[in-house]
Every structure is written in structure tokens, then in C-alpha cells.
Amino acid sequence: MSVMPPLDSSRTLDVSLGPQHPSTHGVFRMNVTLDGETVVRLQPVFGYLHRNHEKIAETHSYLAAMPYTDRLDYICPITNNWAYALAVEKLAGIEVPERAEYIRVIVGEFTRLQNHAALLGFLAGDLGGWGTALLWAFRLREKILDLFESLTGARMMANYMRFGGCRCDLPVGWLEAARAVVRDAHGQLDELEALLTGNEIILARLQGVGALTGERAINGGFSGPVLRASGVDYDIRKVDRYGIYDRFRFRVPRGTAGDCFDRMMMRLLEARESVGILEQALAGIPEGPVVNPKAKQRGLRPPAGEAYGRIEGPKGELGFYLISDGTDRPYRYRVRPPSLINLTLLEELCIGTKLADVMVILGSIDIVLGEVDR
Amino acid sequence: MSEFLETAPVWLKDWVLGLLAGFGVPGWILDLVAAGMVVGTCIGIFLGLFALMSVMERKILARCQNRYGPNRVGPFGLFQPVADGIKMITKEDIVPAAADRVVHFLAPVVMMVPALLVLAILPYGRDLVPVQLDAGILYFFAVGAGTEVAVFMAGWSSNNKYSVIGAMRAIAQMISYEMPLVIAALTAAMVSGSLAPQAIVEAQGPAGFLPGWYVFTPWGFVAALIFYTCALAESNRCPFDLPEGESELVAGHLTEYSGFKYATFFMAEYIGMFAICGLFVTLFLGGWQAPLPALGFVPSWVWFFAKVCAVAGSMVWVRATLPRLRIDHMLGFAWKFLLPMGFVTFLAAACWHYAGRGPAGWLASLAIVGAAYVALSANFSRRFSLERRVYQFSE
Amino acid sequence: MKADFEQLHAAFPGVEWSENPSPSGQHSVVVGCADAVAAAEFLRDRLGYDFCSNVSGVDWPPRKVKETVVRKDVTDGVEKEIKETIERDVPGYLEAVYHLYSIGGRKGPLVLRMRTADRAEGARVPSLTPVWKSADFQEREAYDLFGITFDGHPDLRRILMWDEFEDFPMRKDYVAPDDYEYEPTPHDEILEKVRGGKEAA
Amino acid sequence: MNEQKTSRWSESFAGRLLSGLRFPGAGLVKGLAVTARNFVGSYFEKDRLLTELYPEQRPRLPENSRSFPFLIYDGNDPEAGMRCVSCKICEKECPPQCIYIVQDRDAAGKALKRPRVFNIDISVCMSCQICVEVCPFESIRMDQVFEASSYDRFGSLVLTKRDLLKSNEYYHGIHPTEAAETDARIEADRKKKEAAAAAKAAKAAETAKAAAEKKEAPAA
């Protein structure tokens, strides 16, 4: 796709958007060739934040690699931990007790809620909305990060999941605080929705921009909300039934046109579903051990073999492919980065659109450079 | 007491002139001093308004976003403009190597001059008009067009891709929004029968106990809305801040400016905004007219500045809410919606006037404006296919 | 997964099944480089694996494998089996592993493996980007970090490292150079002071 | 599969009224209304403003909050009461390798159960508290001091043993529940050890007695 018909460079203007640019969500560059304001060619450039996370993990023990997974998608650290823990549990065949599964769902859905709210804020910022929606979204995110801090010790770098459960139990009074946050989450999502979905300027700027059909989305490797926006009904929580998601009643929204407006609405509707799951999980959490006592954390030596564990991360399918050779260090440690793979079709979506739309399409795909460059 | 306050500025000027005359100062110097004082107070007031506005804007935006806004420098952050001023002056003024230095230096000057010149014709009070011009409105638009040239000079001379795109957008936007702006102003001038701002304000005197402002007539309300939208576009403010679209063009035509030149641009933009708010108040909100005759004791210039601050505040409120338009939407909106509406309002004003300004006139103009609005908006939303989406859910 | 493998095996006899001893039970299918693209299209069109979720490069350097071999040995008229451990060195190779899913059929990971001839010139594997567009960036990453050249890839360039970088960092025998763009961070000096045992206490 | 309008807000009365009006201005007015409500709300509803005015209002850290590790000593003499026995497990397990321990030796060169040098390079430490998790002697815990910035890039970012050592009372101050659990565990271990020692002593006494009787029996 990137081999375009020869352009007479007299009419086009080569602009490099990034790596230092207000709305590329991190250190990410796009070499854009413009004909007036219309995009003729777009070449994404990665690698500015590459620190070879996979080589680091292959030279550390399984437990020591866990804090590094916080740094992958630093907006949702706990779901990264969960995906890695799930992969190691598959590799070593470790059971997870009941209460730990409930805590994992609660903390995972809180992460999804604050990620989707933050995305609505960033997208409004990309549209030129001067941060109003962003600050409202961060008000909700602030409360959730305070819950994470009182539970795991750090607002973002949680390092909370262990193989076979979680690191520590819920402190006293944490459940009441969590219920309070969940109670007024709908109110704050209402405000975001009132500001964003009815507004004619946003409708005009988002509807019909960057539309993608379902088949092309599947073939292009889209996963998560952006795939469901194109009308594909595929949510890994329902497909793989990992954790105890089959115990909760929640619905999976699907878009119709697969354009930026549908992607934004997917985040909004999924955030509301997450609040529903949280209400059910917070009501039904049982007592019991928080981590599987038989699981070894420090000197874990999984049997030789390989495993691919994946979860429905807020940005898409986050997977860990581990090959173990019996020692305490993974032989091969591979992260399936949803942000990078969702960018595969960026050029295809952006060709023919205006310069302002490139920012909106990139914003609606929701990438985090820690995960793209690893 | 209210009488004294009403004429205080004029009395002060005469007292100073009398004092100087007492010293035997020659006549032509007296005129010079008189003019100097008027110009000085005008610029002083508007610089004060600019300083106040730059901090109040940040505080209003902050409060809309549930945070405090600047509150460290002085009580409630009111000395923040002083701090900003010092920062801007002491900052290094970087000029890109390949920039066209002369044009790069001239751009802020050319931007600042029309913004200040335009303040001459605004009627601040009952008899507080710096320059009595019969064609004041014409003067306003003639001088006001200078800002477009300045923005393009800034964009072109910075030799930066973002600036060039920003400059192109600025030219397209300002020209296409100049047309509906002038037509909306013309409607008010036509109804009050004169292009002199003072006469327009007097024509909006109190009719019975109701204020005779044009904004309360059907055509006046629509013309005010059109004028307000185009005022936003003229002063490059949200949702029309495409030339300086910072989420796409980093800072548009201002990318390569820093230090005092950037401060000048910033100041010129705000004073331009105040000037066009002043014209909006003059044309549609009855200038220095008190809303109700009973409130006549309050001096007239207080009313004028109160209304200007209210309109400027509403511009900040709009900035806190609305995102930016895309280039083709913005142009389409100007040529395909605002311009036809402008002509229709012009027609409606004529019908209102010749139907005797009474209830019959009201109904006629209301009908014309309403019909045009429905027709244009139907075409508008069909073309943009802004439909409401219904989403499927699966268990 | 086994059923799909049978159908694939019927169509492409060159395909083998490789067991995965770990409790995850995700066994994989080894495909030869010759008919890889045809097998991929078969998988996608006939068996419905339309979602290529993950492409990883894996480096298997040459290693010595101890094997206990049971040898029948007739010594002085008595037949005895002798268990001997002989060392067989397995030649190294690079591997491209594809995890395929079926969106409609809700079918789990079918692990497709392609092995290169050797780890130097012969590290060539047919690219499956024409079949699944999602493999585009991931194959470029495998090329960038492992050195697996994908034939038929539309735009095979380095994706994460800068273009002038020669080596392949994720290989097991990669030695990080000590001298490039060295910027004295507080850590190094402290590490030297700390490691050097100079008394800081 | 059931259909549903966009979502909750549009079902409320105001939402239906405003979005029902099919003219372009409705959405903008709805947005302006929400912004105005927030503007007014920020003056009256106190829970809307979450900003902490940092230097004046000190942040209230939750009990589990962690910043950098510190060593615990019992009693009041840091050197003697130190719990760390320099087993170097934390040095091996630390992911970014920022801990450096040198075991103490007495005059005769015999290794003592105490570290002579215990440095943590907090410019490298990512406060992941794995050292706390793997320490078998409950001797290292996470502190709550987050104002650790310094002017000097090299010298003061390495915390030596003297800076790291803090008393058990301080530990009870910042993490009360965790400290109580740790003390309980230490108490239990000590009791178990004493019981074991007592049992061994008793067994030793018995065997000594039995041996003594055997000696006397043949003698008698």
C-alpha cells in the first residue's frame, strides 16, 4: 500500500508530524506527504522509545520481569501484569483461587474504565477541545488511581499480579471506597457523553472519517474496541472466557460504520459496561486466600514448553508468548502489542483525508508508545 | 452624583487642558495634549482589559474544567499578567536562520497597528467617542482587514511548513468570514439609518420600558448570532482557531515566534477580540444604553464595558466547550450557511422596518428568518449526513 | 485443532505436527518454506483462520543434544542392550511462529511454525503479509530483531532499530557493544564506585 | 441482541428534548450547558475540585504507598539491632540490580552475619518492592519519603547503610498494619525456634541420661 504512484514533488509538501508533536500520544513520527491539506502518502516511523523490553525479560527471572510489564502500556499497568501472569500460569499450570480472580476482574475493569475515559479526553484534545473533556476524564481517573495506590502502593507502576493470584489483599475500607467511585462513575460518563456525542462539530469531524470494513479490520489485525467499531463481534472476555468473566452479565457493543465516531462510542459504551461488571464483582467478592500458596514466585521454573496467553486489554488483544526451557529465565518472551498492530492500517485509513483528520484517526486508534516500541 | 460620574472623563480632560492653558501653552500643543490624553486612556484601558482578560480566561477555563487556574501570583492570581509580561520580555527572541528577517520582524507590528487603530471609533459613553466619524463602521472594517496580511506575513516569513499551512488557513478563513460579518453589521446600520456608531447606539434607545436593542428583534437576534460567529472567526478564536490549530500545526503561524514578538501577537489578538466585541455591543446590544430607563443613574461607559466583558466572557465559555472545525467544514459553513442567512436577515430587517416596526413587522421578519433557517439547516445536515447512530449489543 | 491439522495435512503432506510438552496444550504445526503461502491461504479461506494475531521470531542457536541411545551389542555370545548417551549437535536455525485465530468460528490459537535453513545467509522465509495484512509490522520486527528475511514482504525495513544498525539484537549470541553513544549517566559512575568496593559507608 | 439508543444521557428528559430538536445548534447548546454546570458546580460542589495545592496541603498518602526501600533495626542501636544478615538474596533478585552488599568480616576474617556495606542506588531503583517480597528476614521495607530529589547528580543518589537504617518504631509509624503483621510473624518464628531448641535440649538431656545409665549399668 505504501508504494504510491510517482508524485510530482513540485505540488506536494513533505511534513514530518512528530516525533516531538502535541498530539502523537508519545514519541511517534509520521512522514506525511501533503497535496494542499489532503494526505497523499503517510509513512509511520517507530523506535524512538525502543528499549528492547523482550531482551531485558529474557535476562531476568520470571518474577523480576513482572515490574517491567508495568512499563509496557503505562496507561493500564495492571492489565499488562494480568496478561503476563495469565501466560505464566498457562505455562506452569498454576491454579488461581476464587478471591484473587474477583480482585483481578475488579482491578482490570477499573483500568479499562480509566483508560476509556482518558481516551475520550485525549480525543477531544486532538479535536481542539482545549482539555475540558480531558480534565473531566482525569477527574474520574484520579479517583481510580487513588484506589490503585491504596491497594498496590503506586498509582501507576502497580506490579500487583503474581503467578497464581495477587500480591496483597485489599486493605480495610478499600471496598467501600471502590463502591463510592463506581456509584458516581455513571454521572461523570454522562457529562463526557453530553459534551462529546451531541456536538455537531464533533459529529461533522468524526463521522465518516477513517471508515473501515469488518473484513479489512480483521485482516489488518485490528483488535479490541477498534475492531468492534467495524461491526465485528469479538471480545476475548467472551471468546476465551479467561478469569471468571463468564460469571458476570455484560454486553459487547458493536459499531455500524467503523469510523472514528463509532470508535469513540465503543469506548463510551464499553466504559458503561465496565461499570456494570464492577457493580456485580464488588457485590459478590468472596473471602479466601489472595494467592495460590503452592505457586512458587521467586524460583519459579516452569516445565519446558511454550504458551500463548492473551487478555482483552483496554487497547486490544494483549498477548504474551513464552517459551520455557526449564530454567528460571524465559527462553523466549514475546509481547503481542495491540497498539503497534492497530497501526498497521494507519496509512490506509489516512490517505485522502485532511491533515486535521490524521490526528483524529490516530487519536481514535488509541496508541501508547511504551507498548508500540517496547 | 451619577451626573458627575457620567461626565467625569470629559471634565477631567477639560480641567487638565485648562490648567495647561493657564501656563500659557500655545494652542497647537493643547490639541496635541488633548489627543494624546484620549489615545493614552484608550490604549491604557484596553491594555488593562487585555491583562485582566488573559488571567480571567485561564481562570474561567480552569473552573469549567474543575480546577483552580492560576492562583499563586498575587491574590487569586491577579498579578499573573505581570508575571507573564516579565517572562515574555525576558525570554530569548529566536528568529529561524532561514527566515525572512524583515518580514518576520514586521509581522507583529502590522498585526498590532490595526488592532489599536480600530479602537478610535467605538462609542464608549454618551459623549465619549474618541473620533466622531460618520462612516465609523466602514472605517472599522477597512482597518480591521490589516490583520489578515499580518498573519500571512508571519506564516510565510517563518520558513516553517507548519507556519505556511497555518498562514494559508488564516487567509482562507478570514476572507470567507469577512463577508457575513460585514452584511450583519450592514443590517444594523441600515435599520438605524447611519454608519456612525454613535447614531446606531442612539437609535437603540429605550422604547417604552423595553430596551430598544436590536438583539431583541427577530432579524436582530439572527444578525447578532451571525456577527458573533464571524467575530470568533476574525479573531481566530475557538472553534475557528485553525490558523493556530495547535493539535495539528503545533502553533500554526506563531510556531517560530517567541519572546516579545509572541507577546505582541498575543496582545494584538486580545485587543482585536475586545474591539470586535465592542462593535458587537455597539451594533446589537445598544452600546452604552442602559437596559432599563430606571437604571439610568449608572454612568453610560460602565454599561459599555460591562457588556464588552460579558461578550468576551461568553467567547471564553465557547472556547471551553467547542472543538475545532475542519478546514472544509469551516469554509462550507461560511459560504453555504452564514452568507445566505446574512442576506435573508437583511431582507427580514427591511420587512420589519417597512411593516412599521410593530407586531406585523415582527411576524413578517420572524417568518422569513425561520423559513430560511429551516431550509438551510436541512440542506446542511443532509449534506454532512450527521445522523444519530443506534448500536447493536451482543450478550 | 487436531481436526484442522488433519485437513491441512491431507491437502499439504509436507506439514508436520509438533507436540508441546507444557500444560498449556498449545501444539503447533510445522510448515515447510516451499508451500507455506499456499498452506496459509488454505488455512484462511478453507478453515476460516482469518485473524493472524501474533508473529514472533525465535532464535535456536546450534546446540549439543545429549541423547540416550539403546544399542544392541553382542559381546561374547550374550546379547545385551547398552544405554549410551551420545552427543548430537543440532544445527541452529531461526523460526517464525504465527498464532492464528478464527473470528467467526471462535477457534483457538493454531500455532504455525516456519523454520529457516540456517542462521546466516539461508535465514529466508516466505512472508505471509499478502495473506494476512496484520503480519506486516510484526514480520518487519522479526527481520529487525532476529534477521529473518521475509521474501515477498511489501516493505521490509527495520522497524524499531535505526536503519544504520547492522546487528540483530534479539539473537542469543548478540553482544551489546559497549561504546556507542555513551552518555555518562549518574548510574554508571555510581555503579563503578559501588562495584569498585570503594568505601562509601 | 437488543438495540439501544446511544446511552443513558440521551434517555434522560433533557437529553431527549435537546437532541430531539433537529437543527444544528442543539448539540452545541447541550455542550455549553454542561460546561456551564461544571463552571458553577466547581464553586459549590466541593468534591469536583480534586487539585491538592501541594506545598500548602501535604498529600495524605494511603498506608500501602511505597517509594524507596529502607532497612529496619530493632531496639535503638542501628548497628546492633539490624535485622539484615547480608544473605544477598535481594541483591540477586533486584530486577535493575541497584543493591550492593559487602559482608562484614571480623578481625580473624570469619564472615559475620552483618553487611559492612549496603548501598542502594535510588537513581536506578524503580521501587518495585521485589526486594521486600523475597527477603526472608523481614529486614527491608518500602519507605514513604517521596521528596528524594537532590541537587547533586552523583553523590547523594546512592543511599548508604547509614541513610537506609530506620527504627522499627518508624516502620510502625508509616505502615501500621503491615508492621504489626511482621512483628507477629517474627514473634511466631522466635517462639517456634525456642520450642524447637527446648525440644532438642530435652532430647539431648534424655540421650545424655540414657547414656549415663548405660555406663552405670555395666559398671554396677
Side-chain angles (χ1 to χ4, degrees):
Chain A
M1 193 56 201
S2 65
V3 179
M4 289 296 295
L7 313 162
D8 50 2
S9 64
S10 62
R11 284 185 55 243
T12 59
L13 177 74
D14 284 330
V15 179
S16 152
L17 295 181
Q20 205 272 333
H21 188 275
S23 61
T24 49
H25 297 263
V27 202
F28 169 66
R29 180 156 70 105
M30 292 179 277
N31 289 342
V32 183
T33 313
L34 290 174
D35 174 10
E37 284 258 352
T38 318
V39 174
V40 172
R41 201 166 65 89
L42 181 136
Q43 187 196 20
V45 178
F46 306 102
Y48 289 93
L49 202 56
H50 177 58
R51 61 250 189 224
N52 215 333
H53 165 87
E54 293 169 0
K55 188 89 180 179
I56 294 174
E58 279 172 11
T59 53
H60 280 80
S61 69
Y62 283 90
L63 178 65
M66 178 63 88
Y68 287 103
T69 56
D70 287 336
R71 273 86 176 161
L72 272 178
D73 170 3
Y74 39 76
I75 303 275
C76 339
I78 297 190
T79 38
N80 304 337
N81 294 355
W82 189 357
Y84 176 58
L86 198 69
V88 173
E89 278 151 18
K90 259 191 192 168
L91 192 65
I94 303 172
E95 294 304 318
V96 180
E98 194 67 11
R99 183 175 172 86
E101 284 289 7
Y102 266 84
I103 294 180
R104 281 183 170 182
V105 166
I106 292 171
V107 165
E109 289 310 316
F110 265 133
T111 312
R112 192 185 316 278
L113 181 58
Q114 56 99 6
N115 174 71
H116 287 344
L119 170 87
L120 293 174
F122 290 132
L123 192 59
D126 289 346
L127 287 165
W130 282 96
T132 311
L134 188 60
L135 265 297
W136 293 352
F138 269 48
R139 198 174 75 216
L140 175 63
R141 183 163 184 260
E142 207 54 38
K143 291 196 186 112
I144 293 175
L145 291 190
D146 287 348
L147 285 179
F148 287 163
E149 179 165 21
S150 60
L151 171 64
T152 69
R155 290 161 55 86
M156 287 172 73
M157 297 304 144
N159 183 14
Y160 178 58
M161 299 287 179
R162 287 297 176 264
F163 313 126
C166 306
R167 169 162 51 89
C168 53
D169 204 341
L170 305 179
V172 177
W174 193 85
L175 280 176
E176 284 65 31
R179 289 191 184 102
V181 169
V182 167
R183 249 197 311 281
D184 61 22
H186 271 304
Q188 285 170 15
L189 288 176
D190 285 352
E191 272 180 7
L192 278 175
E193 178 173 350
L195 183 68
L196 292 181
T197 50
N199 191 321
E200 273 72 17
I201 297 179
I202 288 189
L203 290 180
R205 284 216 49 193
L206 287 183
Q207 289 194 347
V209 170
L212 194 67
T213 61
E215 299 71 29
R216 192 58 191 156
I218 293 174
N219 197 297
F222 263 33
S223 63
V226 285
L227 178 66
R228 289 188 285 278
S230 302
V232 176
D233 174 15
Y234 192 75
D235 183 332
I236 298 175
R237 293 174 292 182
K238 296 271 185 186
V239 170
D240 279 6
R241 294 192 185 294
Y242 65 92
I244 45 169
Y245 271 111
D246 42 20
R247 240 174 258 172
F248 303 113
R249 216 186 55 73
F250 66 98
R251 305 172 309 173
V252 177
R254 268 201 327 279
T256 45
D259 52 12
C260 285
F261 184 74
D262 274 1
R263 292 190 199 113
M264 180 178 83
M265 283 309 292
M266 284 304 112
R267 271 50 180 242
L268 202 59
L269 299 174
E270 273 181 24
R272 289 190 187 281
E273 293 305 322
S274 294
V275 174
I277 297 175
L278 279 169
E279 278 152 3
Q280 298 168 48
L282 284 170
I285 184 164
E287 290 305 322
V290 161
V291 70
N292 180 345
K294 289 194 297 302
K296 261 165 75 72
Q297 309 291 352
R298 188 156 73 81
L300 176 71
R301 292 173 188 278
E306 61 169 47
Y308 177 67
R310 61 176 193 162
I311 67 164
E312 176 66 31
K315 301 221 165 28
E317 173 196 330
L318 175 65
F320 281 81
Y321 173 51
L322 301 172
I323 299 181
S324 150
D325 54 1
T327 65
D328 68 345
R329 289 161 190 253
Y331 180 79
R332 171 68 171 114
Y333 167 104
R334 149 83 180 161
V335 178
R336 190 234 183 236
S339 299
L340 174 70
I341 297 169
N342 287 349
L343 284 180
T344 314
L345 295 174
L346 179 67
E347 174 162 22
E348 203 176 299
L349 291 174
C350 288
I351 284 190
T353 60
K354 294 281 184 290
L355 179 62
D357 292 338
V358 171
M359 291 300 137
V360 171
I361 291 171
L362 183 68
S364 72
I365 292 179
D366 187 10
I367 61 166
V368 162
L369 263 295
E371 190 174 60
V372 168
D373 288 346
R374 284 181 314 286
Chain B
M1 176 54 189
S2 74
E3 211 40 54
F4 166 71
L5 270 181
E6 175 65 41
T7 57
V10 179
W11 178 79
L12 198 63
K13 189 176 101 173
D14 298 345
W15 177 71
V16 167
L17 288 182
L19 206 64
L20 283 181
F23 290 154
V25 169
W28 61 276
I29 292 184
L30 277 185
D31 300 342
L32 204 62
V33 165
M37 270 205 300
V38 167
V39 166
T41 38
C42 245
I43 293 182
I45 287 173
F46 273 87
L47 284 184
L49 272 179
F50 153 66
L52 185 71
M53 192 60 200
S54 75
V55 69
M56 284 321 289
E57 167 151 32
R58 287 172 61 183
K59 282 196 90 70
I60 294 172
L61 270 180
R63 280 295 175 173
C64 288
Q65 296 163 0
N66 296 318
R67 51 188 173 87
Y68 288 107
N71 56 3
R72 295 286 162 148
V73 188
F76 302 108
L78 287 180
F79 291 164
Q80 186 68 29
V82 177
D84 287 349
I86 293 169
K87 179 192 81 170
M88 279 302 179
I89 292 168
T90 52
K91 261 206 173 153
E92 184 201 359
D93 185 359
I94 301 163
V95 179
D100 179 343
R101 308 189 78 78
V102 173
V103 178
H104 193 266
F105 172 76
L106 270 183
V109 174
V110 172
M111 182 84 171
M112 192 66 189
V113 163
L116 292 176
L117 285 180
V118 150
L119 305 178
I121 52 105
L122 290 179
Y124 300 111
R126 199 170 300 286
D127 42 23
L128 288 177
V129 183
V131 175
Q132 289 276 11
L133 265 185
D134 288 348
I137 307 291
L138 187 62
Y139 167 85
F140 185 97
F141 291 122
V143 168
T147 49
E148 287 143 27
V149 176
V151 167
F152 193 74
M153 277 166 68
W156 183 259
S157 67
S158 305
N159 189 19
N160 170 327
K161 289 190 174 108
Y162 292 136
S163 309
V164 168
I165 299 176
M168 298 292 185
R169 287 183 175 186
I171 287 296
Q173 169 177 313
M174 286 186 176
I175 288 175
S176 53
Y177 277 84
E178 197 83 22
M179 305 284 292
L181 187 76
V182 167
I183 289 169
L186 221 57
T187 321
M190 177 191 77
V191 166
S192 49
S194 139
L195 273 177
Q198 196 66 335
I200 294 176
V201 170
E202 263 131 23
Q204 295 177 44
F209 63 94
L210 257 177
W213 301 349
Y214 286 143
V215 82
F216 295 127
T217 61
W219 62 270
F221 181 72
V222 175
L225 268 185
I226 294 173
F227 191 92
Y228 185 83
T229 320
C230 299
L232 283 175
E234 280 306 307
S235 51
N236 290 344
R237 283 188 62 81
C238 209
F240 298 95
D241 56 355
L242 278 103
E244 190 227 335
E246 75 296 330
S247 77
E248 305 122 29
L249 304 178
V250 185
H253 58 284
L254 300 178
T255 317
E256 294 300 341
Y257 279 88
S258 59
F260 192 65
K261 283 192 194 131
Y262 183 78
T264 322
F265 261 109
F266 199 55
M267 208 184 295
E269 191 194 318
Y270 270 95
I271 290 179
M273 183 187 88
F274 274 111
I276 208 153
C277 281
L279 190 66
F280 176 75
V281 162
T282 313
L283 291 174
F284 297 102
L285 296 182
W288 38 263
Q289 299 276 8
L292 296 173
L295 295 171
F297 62 90
V298 178
S300 59
W301 42 271
V302 167
W303 285 118
F304 178 79
F305 283 109
K307 290 179 195 165
V308 162
C309 288
V311 172
S314 76
M315 282 192 173
V316 172
W317 179 19
V318 164
R319 176 177 176 188
T321 314
L322 301 183
R324 186 177 308 115
L325 272 168
R326 204 176 58 193
I327 181 100
D328 50 345
H329 297 148
M330 180 260 291
L331 293 176
F333 184 61
W335 293 102
K336 297 196 177 90
F337 187 82
L338 285 185
L339 206 53
M341 277 312 284
F343 290 136
V344 163
T345 339
F346 203 73
L347 191 67
C351 294
W352 178 74
H353 178 67
Y354 288 112
R357 299 196 180 201
W362 260 71
L363 284 180
S365 62
L366 194 62
I368 294 172
V369 165
Y373 182 81
V374 169
L376 280 169
S377 61
N379 147 44
F380 192 71
S381 57
R382 184 171 38 75
R383 207 162 50 70
F384 271 110
S385 68
L386 310 180
E387 85 273 358
R388 289 168 40 72
R389 297 259 176 82
V390 178
Y391 291 93
Q392 263 69 40
F393 285 78
S394 68
E395 273 316 302
Chain C
M1 241 38 72
K2 199 76 170 142
D4 290 339
F5 169 71
E6 298 315 334
Q7 284 182 332
L8 187 66
H9 191 65
F12 298 90
V15 166
E16 296 115 23
W17 176 265
S18 96
E19 281 296 321
N20 169 15
S22 105
S24 73
Q26 294 169 344
H27 308 298
S28 46
V29 170
V30 183
V31 175
C33 290
D35 49 12
V37 181
E41 257 140 24
F42 178 85
L43 279 171
R44 183 189 64 178
D45 302 340
R46 208 71 48 66
L47 300 182
Y49 283 95
D50 46 8
F51 182 62
C52 170
S53 144
N54 184 15
V55 178
S56 342
V58 185
D59 174 19
W60 302 97
R63 60 192 192 287
K64 298 210 170 345
V65 169
K66 285 194 186 54
E67 265 174 10
T68 58
V69 170
V70 173
R71 213 163 31 75
K72 290 237 174 339
D73 188 3
V74 177
T75 55
D76 49 46
V78 171
E79 215 191 276
K80 279 205 304 305
E81 282 138 359
I82 309 156
K83 261 201 197 42
E84 267 171 353
T85 65
I86 56 159
E87 285 212 339
R88 201 167 51 77
D89 51 359
V90 176
Y93 54 87
L94 292 167
E95 208 178 36
V97 183
Y98 292 73
H99 286 79
L100 309 173
Y101 284 85
S102 160
I103 298 279
R106 294 284 196 264
K107 286 192 272 194
L110 185 138
V111 186
L112 195 74
R113 310 182 94 89
M114 282 196 291
R115 292 184 173 140
T116 66
D118 62 20
R119 295 178 72 245
E121 275 57 37
R124 315 192 70 79
V125 162
S127 156
L128 298 185
T129 303
V131 181
W132 292 289
K133 171 70 174 161
S134 66
D136 185 346
F137 284 172
Q138 302 178 68
E139 280 177 351
R140 273 178 63 189
E141 185 181 335
Y143 163 71
D144 185 358
L145 300 182
F146 282 90
I148 309 170
T149 319
F150 289 86
D151 307 333
H153 188 280
D155 171 23
L156 198 60
R157 282 177 294 113
R158 283 193 178 269
I159 188 168
L160 293 178
M161 305 300 283
W162 60 96
D163 293 341
E164 297 76 29
F165 190 79
E166 284 89 26
D167 214 333
F168 303 112
M170 276 298 282
R171 287 196 178 185
K172 290 293 175 185
D173 49 14
Y174 171 74
V175 176
D178 229 2
D179 55 357
Y180 63 89
E181 291 156 20
Y182 177 69
E183 193 259 336
T185 58
H187 174 214
D188 295 316
E189 189 161 314
I190 290 301
L191 196 63
E192 185 265 328
K193 186 162 81 171
V194 160
R195 282 284 182 274
K198 278 198 278 307
E199 286 331 293
Chain D
M1 280 201 299
N2 53 9
E3 282 177 63
Q4 198 210 3
K5 244 205 281 309
T6 37
S7 72
R8 185 179 302 277
W9 201 87
S10 46
E11 283 143 17
S12 67
F13 176 69
R16 264 202 312 282
L17 173 72
L18 274 180
S19 46
L21 308 177
R22 295 288 309 147
F23 60 90
L28 310 181
V29 170
K30 183 165 71 170
L32 289 169
V34 176
T35 318
R37 190 151 57 84
N38 266 286
F39 177 76
V40 172
S42 65
Y43 284 102
F44 300 109
E45 300 159 25
K46 262 308 150 232
D47 81 327
R48 277 189 184 279
L49 291 174
L50 294 178
T51 6
E52 280 168 8
L53 303 174
Y54 169 58
E56 290 85 14
Q57 296 168 351
R58 307 295 299 172
R60 314 169 312 288
L61 294 177
E63 199 217 319
N64 276 350
S65 163
R66 61 174 195 259
S67 67
F68 292 112
F70 73 99
L71 294 171
I72 302 176
Y73 64 85
D74 300 320
N76 39 37
D77 166 20
E79 285 302 327
M82 194 171 180
R83 288 186 188 165
C84 173
V85 294
S86 76
C87 62
K88 301 196 180 175
I89 289 180
C90 58
E91 186 185 23
K92 266 201 303 303
E93 284 299 323
C94 171
Q97 301 293 316
C98 66
I99 300 179
Y100 173 69
I101 301 173
V102 172
Q103 190 150 18
D104 201 357
R105 293 192 177 287
D106 63 1
K110 195 168 70 56
L112 288 169
K113 279 234 176 291
R114 231 188 15 220
R116 178 163 47 81
V117 167
F118 192 109
N119 290 350
I120 291 184
D121 178 355
I122 58 170
S123 76
V124 170
C125 170
M126 54 182 184
S127 68
C128 64
Q129 63 90 37
I130 282 201
C131 47
V132 170
E133 226 173 298
V134 298
C135 175
F137 301 96
E138 330 278 6
S139 69
I140 191 166
R141 280 293 180 267
M142 294 308 274
D143 204 343
Q144 289 195 341
V145 172
F146 60 91
E147 283 142 339
S149 51
S150 77
Y151 291 103
D152 163 16
R153 259 179 75 183
F154 295 105
S156 63
L157 286 183
V158 173
L159 296 186
T160 59
K161 187 170 68 171
R162 210 163 2 83
D163 316 332
L164 289 170
L165 274 170
K166 290 185 176 146
S167 71
N168 199 4
E169 289 68 31
Y170 172 80
Y171 177 40
H172 275 278
I174 49 173
H175 299 299
T177 46
E178 191 189 339
E181 281 159 19
T182 321
D183 284 356
R185 237 180 289 131
I186 293 174
E187 216 36 53
D189 291 352
R190 210 168 41 72
K191 256 198 218 58
K192 203 150 28 68
K193 235 188 251 94
E194 270 155 19
K200 193 144 43 49
K203 200 148 34 31
E206 251 161 48
T207 48
K209 196 147 46 51
E213 277 149 14
K214 224 189 299 50
K215 236 198 301 6
E216 279 148 14

